[in-house]
Short mmCIF file of all heavy atoms in Angstrom, two decimals:
data_model
loop_
_atom_site.label_atom_id
_atom_site.label_comp_id
_atom_site.label_asym_id
_atom_site.label_seq_id
_atom_site.Cartn_x
_atom_site.Cartn_y
_atom_site.Cartn_z
N MET A 1 -17.32 -28.79 7.62
CA MET A 1 -17.95 -28.36 6.35
C MET A 1 -17.98 -29.59 5.44
O MET A 1 -16.96 -30.29 5.31
CB MET A 1 -17.19 -27.21 5.74
CG MET A 1 -17.75 -26.72 4.45
SD MET A 1 -16.91 -25.24 3.81
CE MET A 1 -17.53 -24.01 4.94
N THR A 2 -19.09 -29.83 4.80
CA THR A 2 -19.16 -30.94 3.87
C THR A 2 -18.85 -30.44 2.49
O THR A 2 -18.93 -29.26 2.18
CB THR A 2 -20.58 -31.56 3.90
OG1 THR A 2 -21.50 -30.56 3.51
CG2 THR A 2 -20.92 -32.09 5.28
N GLY A 3 -18.55 -31.35 1.61
CA GLY A 3 -18.26 -31.00 0.24
C GLY A 3 -17.75 -32.23 -0.48
O GLY A 3 -17.71 -33.33 0.06
N ARG A 4 -17.40 -32.07 -1.71
CA ARG A 4 -16.89 -33.14 -2.53
C ARG A 4 -15.36 -33.20 -2.45
O ARG A 4 -14.70 -32.21 -2.75
CB ARG A 4 -17.32 -32.95 -3.95
CG ARG A 4 -16.87 -34.05 -4.88
CD ARG A 4 -17.42 -33.84 -6.25
NE ARG A 4 -16.95 -34.94 -7.10
CZ ARG A 4 -17.55 -35.31 -8.18
NH1 ARG A 4 -18.66 -34.70 -8.57
NH2 ARG A 4 -17.08 -36.28 -8.90
N VAL A 5 -14.83 -34.33 -2.03
CA VAL A 5 -13.38 -34.44 -1.95
C VAL A 5 -12.78 -34.42 -3.36
O VAL A 5 -13.20 -35.17 -4.24
CB VAL A 5 -12.98 -35.75 -1.18
CG1 VAL A 5 -11.47 -35.97 -1.28
CG2 VAL A 5 -13.44 -35.72 0.25
N LEU A 6 -11.84 -33.51 -3.52
CA LEU A 6 -11.14 -33.40 -4.81
C LEU A 6 -9.87 -34.23 -4.77
O LEU A 6 -9.54 -34.90 -5.77
CB LEU A 6 -10.73 -31.93 -5.05
CG LEU A 6 -11.83 -30.95 -5.29
CD1 LEU A 6 -11.26 -29.54 -5.31
CD2 LEU A 6 -12.55 -31.27 -6.56
N TYR A 7 -9.13 -34.14 -3.64
CA TYR A 7 -7.82 -34.79 -3.59
C TYR A 7 -7.44 -35.01 -2.13
O TYR A 7 -7.69 -34.15 -1.30
CB TYR A 7 -6.78 -33.93 -4.28
CG TYR A 7 -5.40 -34.54 -4.32
CD1 TYR A 7 -5.11 -35.58 -5.20
CD2 TYR A 7 -4.41 -34.10 -3.49
CE1 TYR A 7 -3.86 -36.15 -5.21
CE2 TYR A 7 -3.14 -34.64 -3.51
CZ TYR A 7 -2.87 -35.71 -4.38
OH TYR A 7 -1.62 -36.28 -4.39
N GLU A 8 -6.84 -36.15 -1.85
CA GLU A 8 -6.24 -36.44 -0.55
C GLU A 8 -4.78 -36.79 -0.76
O GLU A 8 -4.46 -37.72 -1.54
CB GLU A 8 -6.98 -37.62 0.13
CG GLU A 8 -8.41 -37.33 0.47
CD GLU A 8 -9.09 -38.50 1.18
OE1 GLU A 8 -8.54 -38.96 2.19
OE2 GLU A 8 -10.14 -38.91 0.71
N SER A 9 -3.87 -36.05 -0.13
CA SER A 9 -2.47 -36.29 -0.29
C SER A 9 -2.01 -37.43 0.60
O SER A 9 -2.68 -37.82 1.58
CB SER A 9 -1.67 -35.03 0.01
OG SER A 9 -1.69 -34.74 1.39
N ALA A 10 -0.85 -37.96 0.32
CA ALA A 10 -0.26 -39.06 1.08
C ALA A 10 0.03 -38.63 2.52
O ALA A 10 0.00 -39.48 3.44
CB ALA A 10 1.03 -39.54 0.43
N ASN A 11 0.21 -37.32 2.77
CA ASN A 11 0.48 -36.89 4.12
C ASN A 11 -0.73 -36.55 4.95
O ASN A 11 -0.66 -36.09 6.06
CB ASN A 11 1.49 -35.70 4.11
CG ASN A 11 0.87 -34.43 3.60
OD1 ASN A 11 -0.27 -34.39 3.18
ND2 ASN A 11 1.65 -33.36 3.63
N GLY A 12 -1.93 -36.72 4.30
CA GLY A 12 -3.17 -36.51 5.05
C GLY A 12 -3.89 -35.23 4.80
O GLY A 12 -4.97 -34.99 5.35
N ASP A 13 -3.37 -34.35 3.95
CA ASP A 13 -4.07 -33.14 3.57
C ASP A 13 -5.27 -33.50 2.69
O ASP A 13 -5.17 -34.46 1.90
CB ASP A 13 -3.18 -32.17 2.81
CG ASP A 13 -2.14 -31.47 3.66
OD1 ASP A 13 -1.99 -31.84 4.83
OD2 ASP A 13 -1.55 -30.51 3.16
N VAL A 14 -6.36 -32.74 2.81
CA VAL A 14 -7.55 -33.00 2.03
C VAL A 14 -8.04 -31.68 1.42
O VAL A 14 -8.07 -30.66 2.13
CB VAL A 14 -8.66 -33.62 2.90
CG1 VAL A 14 -9.94 -33.83 2.07
CG2 VAL A 14 -8.23 -34.90 3.55
N TRP A 15 -8.42 -31.72 0.14
CA TRP A 15 -9.00 -30.58 -0.52
C TRP A 15 -10.43 -30.96 -0.95
O TRP A 15 -10.66 -32.05 -1.49
CB TRP A 15 -8.24 -30.22 -1.79
CG TRP A 15 -6.91 -29.57 -1.51
CD1 TRP A 15 -6.64 -28.22 -1.52
CD2 TRP A 15 -5.66 -30.21 -1.20
NE1 TRP A 15 -5.30 -28.01 -1.21
CE2 TRP A 15 -4.71 -29.21 -1.01
CE3 TRP A 15 -5.26 -31.53 -1.01
CZ2 TRP A 15 -3.37 -29.47 -0.69
CZ3 TRP A 15 -3.97 -31.82 -0.69
CH2 TRP A 15 -3.03 -30.77 -0.53
N ARG A 16 -11.40 -30.10 -0.64
CA ARG A 16 -12.81 -30.35 -0.96
C ARG A 16 -13.36 -29.20 -1.75
O ARG A 16 -13.03 -28.05 -1.49
CB ARG A 16 -13.63 -30.49 0.30
CG ARG A 16 -13.35 -31.73 1.14
CD ARG A 16 -14.24 -31.72 2.40
NE ARG A 16 -13.92 -32.81 3.26
CZ ARG A 16 -12.94 -32.78 4.16
NH1 ARG A 16 -12.24 -31.69 4.36
NH2 ARG A 16 -12.69 -33.83 4.93
N LEU A 17 -14.28 -29.51 -2.66
CA LEU A 17 -15.04 -28.48 -3.35
C LEU A 17 -16.26 -28.21 -2.49
O LEU A 17 -17.03 -29.13 -2.13
CB LEU A 17 -15.49 -28.98 -4.73
CG LEU A 17 -16.24 -27.97 -5.61
CD1 LEU A 17 -15.35 -26.77 -5.88
CD2 LEU A 17 -16.68 -28.65 -6.88
N VAL A 18 -16.44 -26.95 -2.08
CA VAL A 18 -17.50 -26.55 -1.17
C VAL A 18 -18.11 -25.23 -1.64
O VAL A 18 -17.67 -24.63 -2.62
CB VAL A 18 -16.93 -26.34 0.28
CG1 VAL A 18 -16.36 -27.64 0.86
CG2 VAL A 18 -15.92 -25.22 0.35
N ARG A 19 -19.11 -24.75 -0.95
CA ARG A 19 -19.64 -23.40 -1.16
C ARG A 19 -19.02 -22.48 -0.11
O ARG A 19 -18.98 -22.84 1.07
CB ARG A 19 -21.14 -23.36 -1.06
CG ARG A 19 -21.82 -24.07 -2.21
CD ARG A 19 -23.09 -23.34 -2.63
NE ARG A 19 -23.63 -23.99 -3.81
CZ ARG A 19 -23.40 -23.55 -5.05
NH1 ARG A 19 -22.68 -22.48 -5.24
NH2 ARG A 19 -23.91 -24.18 -6.06
N HIS A 20 -18.54 -21.35 -0.55
CA HIS A 20 -17.98 -20.37 0.40
C HIS A 20 -19.07 -19.98 1.39
O HIS A 20 -20.19 -19.66 0.98
CB HIS A 20 -17.46 -19.15 -0.34
CG HIS A 20 -16.57 -18.31 0.50
ND1 HIS A 20 -17.09 -17.42 1.44
CD2 HIS A 20 -15.26 -18.19 0.57
CE1 HIS A 20 -16.09 -16.80 2.04
NE2 HIS A 20 -14.98 -17.24 1.52
N PRO A 21 -18.81 -20.02 2.69
CA PRO A 21 -19.84 -19.79 3.67
C PRO A 21 -20.45 -18.38 3.65
O PRO A 21 -21.57 -18.16 4.06
CB PRO A 21 -19.14 -20.04 5.02
CG PRO A 21 -17.71 -19.94 4.75
CD PRO A 21 -17.51 -20.32 3.31
N HIS A 22 -19.72 -17.39 3.09
CA HIS A 22 -20.21 -16.01 3.10
C HIS A 22 -20.82 -15.65 1.73
O HIS A 22 -21.88 -15.02 1.67
CB HIS A 22 -19.10 -15.02 3.48
CG HIS A 22 -18.56 -15.30 4.83
ND1 HIS A 22 -19.31 -15.16 6.00
CD2 HIS A 22 -17.33 -15.73 5.22
CE1 HIS A 22 -18.55 -15.49 7.03
NE2 HIS A 22 -17.36 -15.84 6.59
N SER A 23 -20.12 -16.01 0.67
CA SER A 23 -20.58 -15.61 -0.68
C SER A 23 -21.47 -16.63 -1.36
O SER A 23 -22.20 -16.32 -2.26
CB SER A 23 -19.37 -15.34 -1.58
OG SER A 23 -18.71 -16.54 -1.89
N GLY A 24 -21.39 -17.91 -0.93
CA GLY A 24 -22.12 -18.97 -1.57
C GLY A 24 -21.52 -19.42 -2.88
O GLY A 24 -22.03 -20.34 -3.53
N ARG A 25 -20.40 -18.83 -3.26
CA ARG A 25 -19.74 -19.17 -4.50
C ARG A 25 -18.92 -20.45 -4.33
O ARG A 25 -18.54 -20.80 -3.19
CB ARG A 25 -18.81 -18.04 -4.95
CG ARG A 25 -19.62 -16.78 -5.27
CD ARG A 25 -18.76 -15.68 -5.70
NE ARG A 25 -18.21 -16.01 -7.01
CZ ARG A 25 -17.55 -15.13 -7.75
NH1 ARG A 25 -17.36 -13.90 -7.33
NH2 ARG A 25 -17.12 -15.46 -8.91
N PRO A 26 -18.65 -21.18 -5.43
CA PRO A 26 -17.81 -22.37 -5.35
C PRO A 26 -16.45 -22.04 -4.76
O PRO A 26 -15.86 -21.01 -5.14
CB PRO A 26 -17.72 -22.89 -6.78
CG PRO A 26 -18.90 -22.27 -7.47
CD PRO A 26 -19.12 -20.95 -6.79
N ALA A 27 -15.96 -22.90 -3.90
CA ALA A 27 -14.66 -22.65 -3.27
C ALA A 27 -13.98 -24.00 -3.00
O ALA A 27 -14.60 -25.04 -3.02
CB ALA A 27 -14.87 -21.89 -1.94
N VAL A 28 -12.68 -23.89 -2.69
CA VAL A 28 -11.91 -25.06 -2.31
C VAL A 28 -11.52 -24.92 -0.87
O VAL A 28 -10.92 -23.90 -0.46
CB VAL A 28 -10.67 -25.23 -3.22
CG1 VAL A 28 -9.81 -26.39 -2.71
CG2 VAL A 28 -11.08 -25.42 -4.65
N GLU A 29 -11.85 -25.91 -0.07
CA GLU A 29 -11.44 -25.97 1.34
C GLU A 29 -10.23 -26.87 1.44
O GLU A 29 -10.26 -27.98 0.93
CB GLU A 29 -12.58 -26.56 2.18
CG GLU A 29 -12.14 -26.69 3.63
CD GLU A 29 -13.16 -27.50 4.46
OE1 GLU A 29 -13.67 -28.54 3.93
OE2 GLU A 29 -13.44 -27.11 5.58
N HIS A 30 -9.17 -26.37 2.05
CA HIS A 30 -7.97 -27.18 2.30
C HIS A 30 -7.91 -27.45 3.79
O HIS A 30 -7.87 -26.57 4.59
CB HIS A 30 -6.70 -26.38 1.87
CG HIS A 30 -5.46 -27.11 2.20
ND1 HIS A 30 -4.35 -26.44 2.65
CD2 HIS A 30 -5.13 -28.44 2.16
CE1 HIS A 30 -3.39 -27.32 2.90
NE2 HIS A 30 -3.84 -28.55 2.59
N GLN A 31 -7.92 -28.76 4.11
CA GLN A 31 -7.79 -29.21 5.49
C GLN A 31 -6.43 -29.85 5.65
O GLN A 31 -6.21 -31.01 5.22
CB GLN A 31 -8.90 -30.22 5.85
CG GLN A 31 -8.85 -30.74 7.25
CD GLN A 31 -9.19 -29.69 8.26
OE1 GLN A 31 -10.23 -29.07 8.18
NE2 GLN A 31 -8.31 -29.46 9.21
N PRO A 32 -5.47 -29.09 6.22
CA PRO A 32 -4.12 -29.69 6.41
C PRO A 32 -4.16 -30.81 7.44
O PRO A 32 -5.06 -30.88 8.29
CB PRO A 32 -3.28 -28.53 6.93
CG PRO A 32 -4.08 -27.29 6.75
CD PRO A 32 -5.52 -27.74 6.67
N ASN A 33 -3.15 -31.67 7.39
CA ASN A 33 -3.06 -32.74 8.37
C ASN A 33 -2.79 -32.15 9.77
O ASN A 33 -2.39 -30.98 9.89
CB ASN A 33 -2.01 -33.77 7.96
CG ASN A 33 -0.62 -33.21 7.91
OD1 ASN A 33 -0.21 -32.42 8.76
ND2 ASN A 33 0.13 -33.59 6.89
N ALA A 34 -3.00 -32.96 10.76
CA ALA A 34 -2.85 -32.48 12.15
C ALA A 34 -1.43 -31.96 12.48
O ALA A 34 -1.30 -30.95 13.20
CB ALA A 34 -3.21 -33.58 13.12
N SER A 35 -0.41 -32.60 11.89
CA SER A 35 0.95 -32.16 12.19
C SER A 35 1.29 -30.81 11.55
O SER A 35 2.23 -30.17 11.94
CB SER A 35 1.98 -33.23 11.75
OG SER A 35 1.96 -33.38 10.34
N SER A 36 0.48 -30.40 10.60
CA SER A 36 0.68 -29.06 9.99
C SER A 36 -0.22 -28.01 10.63
O SER A 36 -0.30 -26.91 10.15
CB SER A 36 0.31 -29.14 8.48
OG SER A 36 1.19 -29.96 7.79
N GLY A 37 -0.88 -28.39 11.67
CA GLY A 37 -1.71 -27.45 12.38
C GLY A 37 -3.21 -27.75 12.23
O GLY A 37 -4.02 -27.38 13.03
N GLY A 38 -3.58 -28.37 11.13
CA GLY A 38 -4.96 -28.82 10.93
C GLY A 38 -5.99 -27.73 10.74
O GLY A 38 -7.15 -28.00 10.70
N ARG A 39 -5.56 -26.49 10.59
CA ARG A 39 -6.52 -25.38 10.44
C ARG A 39 -6.94 -25.22 8.98
O ARG A 39 -6.11 -24.97 8.10
CB ARG A 39 -5.91 -24.10 10.96
CG ARG A 39 -6.92 -22.96 10.96
CD ARG A 39 -6.44 -21.78 11.70
NE ARG A 39 -7.48 -20.80 11.71
CZ ARG A 39 -7.36 -19.61 12.22
NH1 ARG A 39 -6.24 -19.29 12.77
NH2 ARG A 39 -8.34 -18.78 12.18
N ALA A 40 -8.23 -25.39 8.70
CA ALA A 40 -8.73 -25.31 7.35
C ALA A 40 -8.74 -23.91 6.80
O ALA A 40 -8.85 -22.92 7.54
CB ALA A 40 -10.15 -25.87 7.31
N SER A 41 -8.58 -23.77 5.49
CA SER A 41 -8.69 -22.50 4.80
C SER A 41 -9.65 -22.71 3.61
O SER A 41 -9.80 -23.81 3.09
CB SER A 41 -7.34 -22.03 4.27
OG SER A 41 -6.81 -22.94 3.36
N ILE A 42 -10.31 -21.63 3.19
CA ILE A 42 -11.24 -21.68 2.11
C ILE A 42 -10.85 -20.61 1.07
O ILE A 42 -10.64 -19.47 1.46
CB ILE A 42 -12.68 -21.46 2.54
CG1 ILE A 42 -13.08 -22.58 3.54
CG2 ILE A 42 -13.63 -21.40 1.40
CD1 ILE A 42 -14.45 -22.42 4.14
N THR A 43 -10.74 -21.01 -0.18
CA THR A 43 -10.36 -20.12 -1.25
C THR A 43 -11.36 -20.29 -2.38
O THR A 43 -11.65 -21.40 -2.82
CB THR A 43 -8.96 -20.48 -1.78
OG1 THR A 43 -8.05 -20.50 -0.65
CG2 THR A 43 -8.48 -19.50 -2.83
N GLU A 44 -11.87 -19.17 -2.93
CA GLU A 44 -12.76 -19.29 -4.06
C GLU A 44 -12.05 -19.93 -5.25
O GLU A 44 -10.83 -19.82 -5.39
CB GLU A 44 -13.35 -17.92 -4.44
CG GLU A 44 -14.36 -17.43 -3.40
CD GLU A 44 -15.21 -16.27 -3.85
OE1 GLU A 44 -15.20 -15.90 -5.05
OE2 GLU A 44 -15.93 -15.72 -2.99
N VAL A 45 -12.80 -20.68 -6.05
CA VAL A 45 -12.24 -21.51 -7.11
C VAL A 45 -11.33 -20.71 -8.05
O VAL A 45 -10.21 -21.16 -8.34
CB VAL A 45 -13.36 -22.19 -7.90
CG1 VAL A 45 -12.82 -22.81 -9.18
CG2 VAL A 45 -14.03 -23.26 -7.05
N GLY A 46 -11.74 -19.54 -8.51
CA GLY A 46 -10.92 -18.77 -9.41
C GLY A 46 -9.57 -18.42 -8.80
O GLY A 46 -8.54 -18.56 -9.45
N GLN A 47 -9.60 -17.97 -7.60
CA GLN A 47 -8.34 -17.63 -6.87
C GLN A 47 -7.45 -18.83 -6.68
O GLN A 47 -6.25 -18.79 -6.87
CB GLN A 47 -8.67 -16.96 -5.52
CG GLN A 47 -7.50 -16.51 -4.73
CD GLN A 47 -6.83 -15.26 -5.30
OE1 GLN A 47 -7.33 -14.63 -6.19
NE2 GLN A 47 -5.67 -14.95 -4.78
N PHE A 48 -8.09 -19.93 -6.33
CA PHE A 48 -7.35 -21.20 -6.12
C PHE A 48 -6.60 -21.59 -7.39
O PHE A 48 -5.41 -21.98 -7.35
CB PHE A 48 -8.32 -22.32 -5.73
CG PHE A 48 -7.73 -23.64 -5.50
CD1 PHE A 48 -7.03 -23.95 -4.35
CD2 PHE A 48 -7.89 -24.64 -6.47
CE1 PHE A 48 -6.47 -25.21 -4.17
CE2 PHE A 48 -7.34 -25.90 -6.28
CZ PHE A 48 -6.63 -26.20 -5.13
N LEU A 49 -7.26 -21.49 -8.54
CA LEU A 49 -6.62 -21.89 -9.78
C LEU A 49 -5.59 -20.84 -10.26
O LEU A 49 -4.57 -21.22 -10.83
CB LEU A 49 -7.66 -22.12 -10.85
CG LEU A 49 -8.54 -23.35 -10.68
CD1 LEU A 49 -9.68 -23.38 -11.69
CD2 LEU A 49 -7.72 -24.63 -10.71
N ARG A 50 -5.81 -19.57 -9.95
CA ARG A 50 -4.87 -18.53 -10.36
C ARG A 50 -3.57 -18.58 -9.64
O ARG A 50 -2.48 -18.43 -10.22
CB ARG A 50 -5.48 -17.14 -10.20
CG ARG A 50 -6.31 -16.68 -11.36
CD ARG A 50 -6.67 -15.19 -11.26
NE ARG A 50 -7.34 -14.84 -10.03
CZ ARG A 50 -8.65 -14.96 -9.86
NH1 ARG A 50 -9.43 -15.43 -10.77
NH2 ARG A 50 -9.21 -14.58 -8.72
N VAL A 51 -3.60 -18.74 -8.35
CA VAL A 51 -2.39 -18.67 -7.52
C VAL A 51 -1.84 -20.00 -7.05
O VAL A 51 -0.77 -20.04 -6.49
CB VAL A 51 -2.61 -17.71 -6.30
CG1 VAL A 51 -2.96 -16.34 -6.71
CG2 VAL A 51 -3.63 -18.30 -5.35
N GLY A 52 -2.58 -21.04 -7.28
CA GLY A 52 -2.18 -22.32 -6.71
C GLY A 52 -1.12 -23.08 -7.42
O GLY A 52 -0.49 -23.94 -6.82
N GLY A 53 -0.91 -22.82 -8.66
CA GLY A 53 0.10 -23.62 -9.37
C GLY A 53 -0.52 -24.80 -10.10
O GLY A 53 -1.66 -24.74 -10.51
N ASN A 54 0.24 -25.87 -10.19
CA ASN A 54 -0.17 -27.00 -10.99
C ASN A 54 -0.08 -28.29 -10.17
O ASN A 54 0.30 -29.34 -10.72
CB ASN A 54 0.76 -27.07 -12.22
CG ASN A 54 0.15 -27.89 -13.32
OD1 ASN A 54 -1.05 -28.06 -13.42
ND2 ASN A 54 0.99 -28.45 -14.18
N GLY A 55 -0.45 -28.22 -8.91
CA GLY A 55 -0.36 -29.41 -8.05
C GLY A 55 -1.45 -30.39 -8.35
O GLY A 55 -2.39 -30.13 -9.13
N PRO A 56 -1.40 -31.57 -7.79
CA PRO A 56 -2.40 -32.61 -8.03
C PRO A 56 -3.80 -32.21 -7.59
O PRO A 56 -4.78 -32.61 -8.20
CB PRO A 56 -1.87 -33.83 -7.25
CG PRO A 56 -0.93 -33.28 -6.26
CD PRO A 56 -0.35 -32.04 -6.82
N GLU A 57 -3.90 -31.36 -6.55
CA GLU A 57 -5.22 -30.88 -6.13
C GLU A 57 -5.84 -29.96 -7.20
O GLU A 57 -7.03 -29.97 -7.41
CB GLU A 57 -5.12 -30.19 -4.77
CG GLU A 57 -4.27 -28.97 -4.70
CD GLU A 57 -2.79 -29.23 -4.51
OE1 GLU A 57 -2.31 -30.36 -4.64
OE2 GLU A 57 -2.11 -28.26 -4.12
N HIS A 58 -4.98 -29.17 -7.90
CA HIS A 58 -5.46 -28.33 -8.97
C HIS A 58 -5.87 -29.14 -10.18
O HIS A 58 -6.88 -28.89 -10.82
CB HIS A 58 -4.38 -27.32 -9.34
CG HIS A 58 -3.98 -26.43 -8.21
ND1 HIS A 58 -2.97 -26.79 -7.38
CD2 HIS A 58 -4.50 -25.30 -7.76
CE1 HIS A 58 -2.84 -25.83 -6.45
NE2 HIS A 58 -3.79 -24.94 -6.65
N GLN A 59 -5.08 -30.15 -10.48
CA GLN A 59 -5.41 -31.04 -11.60
C GLN A 59 -6.72 -31.80 -11.34
O GLN A 59 -7.52 -31.98 -12.24
CB GLN A 59 -4.28 -32.03 -11.86
CG GLN A 59 -2.99 -31.38 -12.30
CD GLN A 59 -3.21 -30.54 -13.58
OE1 GLN A 59 -3.77 -31.01 -14.55
NE2 GLN A 59 -2.76 -29.31 -13.53
N ALA A 60 -6.96 -32.18 -10.08
CA ALA A 60 -8.21 -32.85 -9.72
C ALA A 60 -9.42 -31.97 -9.94
O ALA A 60 -10.45 -32.40 -10.46
CB ALA A 60 -8.16 -33.37 -8.29
N LEU A 61 -9.28 -30.68 -9.58
CA LEU A 61 -10.37 -29.74 -9.78
C LEU A 61 -10.61 -29.51 -11.28
O LEU A 61 -11.74 -29.53 -11.73
CB LEU A 61 -10.08 -28.39 -9.11
CG LEU A 61 -11.11 -27.30 -9.34
CD1 LEU A 61 -12.50 -27.72 -8.87
CD2 LEU A 61 -10.69 -26.01 -8.64
N LEU A 62 -9.56 -29.37 -12.06
CA LEU A 62 -9.71 -29.16 -13.49
C LEU A 62 -10.35 -30.42 -14.16
O LEU A 62 -11.17 -30.28 -15.02
CB LEU A 62 -8.38 -28.84 -14.12
CG LEU A 62 -7.84 -27.46 -13.82
CD1 LEU A 62 -6.37 -27.32 -14.30
CD2 LEU A 62 -8.71 -26.38 -14.39
N ALA A 63 -9.95 -31.61 -13.65
CA ALA A 63 -10.55 -32.84 -14.23
C ALA A 63 -12.06 -32.87 -13.89
O ALA A 63 -12.87 -33.26 -14.76
CB ALA A 63 -9.87 -34.06 -13.63
N LEU A 64 -12.44 -32.45 -12.69
CA LEU A 64 -13.86 -32.43 -12.32
C LEU A 64 -14.60 -31.42 -13.21
O LEU A 64 -15.70 -31.75 -13.70
CB LEU A 64 -14.02 -32.08 -10.85
CG LEU A 64 -15.47 -31.87 -10.37
CD1 LEU A 64 -16.25 -33.18 -10.51
CD2 LEU A 64 -15.46 -31.39 -8.93
N ILE A 65 -14.04 -30.28 -13.40
CA ILE A 65 -14.67 -29.27 -14.28
C ILE A 65 -14.81 -29.85 -15.68
O ILE A 65 -15.86 -29.66 -16.36
CB ILE A 65 -13.89 -27.95 -14.27
CG1 ILE A 65 -13.98 -27.30 -12.88
CG2 ILE A 65 -14.36 -27.02 -15.39
CD1 ILE A 65 -13.03 -26.13 -12.71
N GLY A 66 -13.82 -30.58 -16.15
CA GLY A 66 -13.87 -31.18 -17.47
C GLY A 66 -15.02 -32.17 -17.64
O GLY A 66 -15.51 -32.35 -18.79
N THR A 67 -15.41 -32.80 -16.58
CA THR A 67 -16.56 -33.77 -16.69
C THR A 67 -17.88 -33.07 -16.89
O THR A 67 -18.84 -33.72 -17.27
CB THR A 67 -16.66 -34.66 -15.41
OG1 THR A 67 -17.04 -33.82 -14.30
CG2 THR A 67 -15.37 -35.38 -15.12
N LEU A 68 -17.91 -31.78 -16.72
CA LEU A 68 -19.15 -31.05 -16.89
C LEU A 68 -19.38 -30.59 -18.33
O LEU A 68 -20.45 -30.09 -18.68
CB LEU A 68 -19.15 -29.80 -15.98
CG LEU A 68 -18.95 -30.07 -14.51
CD1 LEU A 68 -18.78 -28.75 -13.74
CD2 LEU A 68 -20.09 -30.91 -13.96
N ILE A 69 -18.38 -30.82 -19.16
CA ILE A 69 -18.43 -30.40 -20.57
C ILE A 69 -18.82 -31.58 -21.45
O ILE A 69 -18.19 -32.65 -21.38
CB ILE A 69 -17.06 -29.83 -21.03
CG1 ILE A 69 -16.67 -28.65 -20.12
CG2 ILE A 69 -17.09 -29.45 -22.48
CD1 ILE A 69 -15.26 -28.18 -20.33
N ASP A 70 -19.83 -31.38 -22.25
CA ASP A 70 -20.22 -32.43 -23.20
C ASP A 70 -19.23 -32.50 -24.32
O ASP A 70 -18.78 -31.46 -24.84
CB ASP A 70 -21.60 -32.14 -23.79
CG ASP A 70 -22.73 -32.25 -22.75
OD1 ASP A 70 -22.58 -33.02 -21.78
OD2 ASP A 70 -23.74 -31.55 -22.86
N ASP A 71 -18.90 -33.71 -24.73
CA ASP A 71 -18.00 -33.89 -25.89
C ASP A 71 -18.75 -33.82 -27.18
O ASP A 71 -19.87 -34.04 -27.35
CB ASP A 71 -17.28 -35.24 -25.80
CG ASP A 71 -16.27 -35.28 -24.64
OD1 ASP A 71 -15.75 -34.18 -24.32
OD2 ASP A 71 -16.00 -36.36 -24.13
#
C-alpha cells in the first residue's frame, strides 16, 4: 500500500498515512519490522489518535495536520 510516510522508528517500524481500503477514509498503516512479524495493520486516523497515546508517530501525524491550518 502506498501512502505518505509519517514516521520511521530506529528499529525499522514505519507508519504511513493512507486511505482505508474499505471505507476510503484517512487511516494510518503500521508496518512493523521483520523481527516483529512484519504484518501491517490499518487504523482509521481518529481511532489511532484516541487510543495510541503520545508516541512520536502520533506527534508526526499531528504535525502534518497542523500544516493544513493557515496561520
Side-chain angles (χ1 to χ4, degrees):
M1 182 174 285
T2 61
R4 181 176 179 157
V5 173
L6 294 171
Y7 182 75
E8 294 183 53
S9 70
N11 71 356
D13 285 12
V14 178
W15 287 262
R16 291 180 186 85
L17 184 62
V18 299
R19 290 217 175 263
H20 194 282
H22 301 295
S23 70
R25 296 179 71 169
V28 175
E29 176 190 42
H30 174 220
Q31 180 68 55
N33 64 41
S35 65
S36 295
R39 185 169 183 184
S41 63
I42 298 176
T43 307
E44 288 195 10
V45 167
Q47 182 73 9
F48 179 77
L49 290 173
R50 274 192 302 277
V51 299
N54 199 26
E57 61 276 16
H58 301 92
Q59 295 304 309
L61 176 57
L62 289 171
L64 175 62
I65 292 168
T67 67
L68 303 173
I69 302 169
D70 292 333
D71 289 332

